[in-house]
């Protein structure tokens, strides 16, 4: 029932994709939400949407690596406000 945040993973990696699909099948029916941070790449959005829909991960896109720090800081503040 814990939420996972994936940062810095390559979803083009076949081994990692197999691992994600395995975990998805093991935790099927679990209501936890999972997220992955990705640098925007219009060429891969459709492919990633399909993959994430299958394994239950919601992608969050950012424009540049410089913007990632601010995004993580904002996410931490938002999470702290929910406690």
């Amino acid at each position: 029932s814990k939420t996972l945040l994936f940062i810095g993973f390559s979803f083009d990696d076949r081994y990692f994709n197999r691992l994600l699909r395995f975990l998805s099948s093991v935790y099927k029916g679990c209501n936890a939400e999972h997220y992955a941070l990705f640098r925007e790449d219009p060429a891969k959005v459709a492919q990633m949407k399909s993959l994430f829909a299958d394994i239950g991960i919601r992608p969050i896109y950012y424009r540049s690596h410089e913007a990632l720090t601010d995004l993580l800081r904002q996410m931490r503040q938002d999470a702290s406000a929910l406690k």
Side-chain angles (χ1 to χ4, degrees), residues 13-63:
D13 184 316
R14 286 185 293 162
Y15 174 77
F16 187 66
N17 282 325
R18 275 188 267 150
L19 178 62
L20 285 177
R21 289 186 191 285
F22 170 76
L23 292 173
S24 176
S25 69
V26 168
Y27 293 104
K28 192 171 193 140
C30 180
N31 291 331
E33 292 188 41
H34 306 298
Y35 302 90
L37 298 179
F38 288 101
R39 188 170 180 192
E40 277 183 337
D41 184 349
K44 292 186 178 182
V45 169
Q47 172 193 2
M48 294 172 106
K49 262 187 186 179
S50 173
L51 171 66
F52 294 135
D54 290 346
I55 60 178
I57 296 176
R58 299 174 79 186
I60 300 171
Y61 298 100
Y62 60 92
R63 293 178 193 254

